[in-house]
Amino acid sequence: MPAAAPDAAAPRRPWLVLAICCMSILIVSLDNTILNVALPTIQRDLHTSVSGLQWTVDGYTLVLASLLMLAGSTADRVGRRRVFQVGLALFSAASLLCGLAPGLGWLVAARMLQAIGGSMLNPVAMSIISNTFTDPRQRARAIGVWGGVVGLSMAAGPIMGGALVESAGWRSIFWINVPIGVAALFLTRTFIPESRAPRARRVDPAGQSLVIVLLVALTYAIIESPEHGWTSPLVLGAAAAALCALLGLLWYEPRRTDPLIDLRFFRSVPFAGATVNAIAAFAALGGFLFVSSLYLQNVRRLDPLDAGLYMLPMAAMALLLAPLSGRMVAARGPRLPLLLAGTALCASAVLQALTYSAHLPTGVLVVAYLLFGTGFGLVNAPITNTAVTGMPRAQAGVAAAVASTSRQVGQSLGVAVIGALVAGAAYGSPAALADAS
């Protein structure tokens, strides 16, 4: 079977391949954490409202979530290295455009272009890793390293973002992606072999369109509801469109030979559970980063660098515990790290809800951030490992894309829902936001 040969040929330097793939998650995760620190500065510089900030974040995550499964199946069909290279080039170019954006509309548009490139990175990189590390234990360790890079970006992002915003302005947070992306592009071309699935999957344009309508309409209804009200025709129309798109997906996808979303995946209880856990965990992350940045800078009146330092305990715990979580999954399975993660995230939420004030003692805030970082550091490896190892290697790209899509959907919903609550209390006014928060 000639088509399967690239999958069967293991790279001679698997850990170098892992390092190159981790560069893609580094720039994508850095972009996310750095952006959140810069949001208050962007709000003041571009004179935008809370909903404008939400679209700056969700314009990226929505496009990313909409295209991840298409990118994964396309990589399985036409070549993973080829799609990965295109993604790196597009993400780097779009990052440059984000730094040059003259207004909010241009920034959101450039972020959406950036997301098109980003959709070709993480799921494809995970597919490359899955086909490089065929031994389950080695794969679990590799995924733990992958999760550690997420923690590294969370640790470095707030401080790096604060330093860049203070020294060179918010535009520099996007320019930092360019040299990393170019280096990753060169290394990919040099060291990563091409691979593809034995059988090509056909494109599903109807399914892809329904996914886009579902995610965009649902997020629009949530974000715009504080300004227009839940009973406004725009919000009700968006909610109705989202419901129709969901029903259309449930009816249409099982009838296709090669669906965009293979609903049979969700018959697997572990895979379905991993999907739900991913949505919940990343909804918490998206809302936490969005509100924490506004709280630290607009309420506690910290500068961007100090705000980044306040979030360092959370990021440090995520960095330290992600590799440990990978080893726990390899040794004992995903149940224990998931239970510990859920406990820590719930404890952090309860502590913040019960103690919140504009003058909250720093020690209490640090404990809450430490608990959140503990939970998030433990949750990523078991989610990814469960999603990927439960599927055939030939469908690794699609399986990894579904898992990545769940993360982005969760993050979009977290920003939309929690941001809408904030905007409902103080729509479009940083001063009112400080009072309401």
Side-chain angles (χ1 to χ4, degrees):
M1 296 177 62
D7 269 6
R12 289 180 296 176
R13 301 176 180 177
W15 294 102
L16 177 59
V17 172
L18 174 63
I20 297 169
C21 290
C22 284
M23 294 179 73
S24 71
I25 187 69
L26 179 64
I27 58 175
V28 172
S29 298
L30 269 178
D31 185 78
N32 184 38
T33 53
I34 288 179
L35 174 64
N36 277 278
V37 173
L39 285 176
T41 305
I42 294 174
Q43 183 181 36
R44 291 189 294 270
D45 190 31
L46 299 184
H47 309 290
T48 185
S49 63
V50 173
S51 65
L53 296 181
Q54 288 174 276
W55 282 117
T56 303
V57 178
D58 273 357
Y60 176 87
T61 54
L62 282 175
V63 173
L64 193 66
S66 299
L67 299 180
L68 281 170
M69 287 177 286
L70 175 62
S73 60
T74 301
D76 284 345
R77 181 173 62 253
V78 306
R80 295 169 183 131
R81 184 181 71 172
R82 180 180 303 173
V83 172
F84 192 61
Q85 288 177 295
V86 172
L88 284 169
L90 188 56
F91 188 90
S92 301
S95 296
L96 183 62
L97 293 177
C98 287
L100 298 173
L104 179 67
W106 288 98
L107 177 59
V108 172
R111 289 275 293 163
M112 295 172 73
L113 181 63
Q114 194 182 34
I116 297 175
S119 70
M120 304 177 194
L121 297 181
N122 290 2
V124 180
M126 183 54 65
S127 180
I128 293 171
I129 291 171
S130 298
N131 284 275
T132 299
F133 295 89
T134 56
D135 178 75
R137 288 182 175 272
Q138 280 198 336
R139 181 187 295 141
R141 293 190 185 98
I143 291 173
V145 173
W146 171 272
V149 173
V150 176
L152 175 63
S153 68
M154 291 178 66
I159 299 175
M160 185 183 300
L164 286 172
V165 170
E166 286 197 19
S167 62
W170 64 265
R171 299 178 188 277
S172 61
I173 67 173
F174 297 107
W175 294 335
I176 195 68
N177 295 329
V178 178
I180 300 175
V182 170
L185 182 61
F186 170 77
L187 293 172
T188 299
R189 184 177 182 85
T190 305
F191 294 107
I192 294 182
E194 185 61 280
S195 65
R196 55 179 58 86
R199 187 181 70 85
R201 294 170 56 85
R202 291 180 295 177
V203 177
D204 180 10
Q208 181 65 65
S209 300
L210 288 170
V211 167
I212 293 173
V213 171
L214 170 61
L215 296 178
V216 173
L218 177 61
T219 305
Y220 181 89
I222 296 172
I223 289 179
E224 297 300 327
S225 60
E227 180 183 9
H228 300 286
W230 280 106
T231 58
S232 72
L234 280 175
V235 173
L236 288 177
L243 178 60
C244 290
L246 176 60
L247 295 176
L249 280 170
L250 295 176
W251 177 84
Y252 176 77
E253 290 297 278
R255 289 165 171 76
R256 276 191 60 88
T257 304
D258 288 325
L260 177 71
I261 305 174
D262 194 336
L263 299 181
R264 293 174 299 176
F265 283 7
F266 297 95
R267 295 176 185 173
S268 166
V269 174
F271 184 86
T275 301
V276 173
N277 284 330
I279 292 174
F282 278 77
L285 176 67
F288 173 84
L289 292 176
F290 185 83
V291 172
S292 290
S293 183
L294 295 178
Y295 167 73
L296 292 172
Q297 296 183 57
N298 287 355
V299 178
R300 295 181 77 102
R301 303 299 181 186
L302 300 176
D303 58 42
L305 180 57
D306 287 339
L309 290 171
Y310 262 73
M311 287 192 280
L312 182 59
M314 177 272 296
M317 292 305 294
L319 171 62
L320 293 174
L321 290 176
L324 174 62
S325 179
R327 290 194 292 270
M328 291 172 65
V329 172
R332 303 186 60 179
R335 181 175 298 179
L336 179 60
L338 282 176
L339 287 173
L340 294 174
T343 301
L345 289 173
C346 288
S348 175
V350 170
L351 178 60
Q352 292 180 75
L354 293 179
T355 62
Y356 172 79
S357 74
H359 305 288
L360 183 67
T362 299
V364 177
L365 192 62
V366 168
V367 171
Y369 284 8
L370 285 171
L371 286 170
F372 189 93
T374 298
F376 190 76
L378 290 170
V379 79
N380 212 32
I383 288 173
T384 303
N385 190 71
T386 302
V388 172
T389 56
M391 297 295 114
R393 287 178 60 201
Q395 293 181 320
V398 178
V402 173
S404 296
T405 298
S406 303
R407 292 180 174 87
Q408 299 304 323
V409 168
Q411 191 161 344
S412 296
L413 292 177
V415 172
V417 172
I418 297 178
L421 293 174
V422 172
Y427 184 79
S429 170
L433 174 63
D435 293 336
S437 297

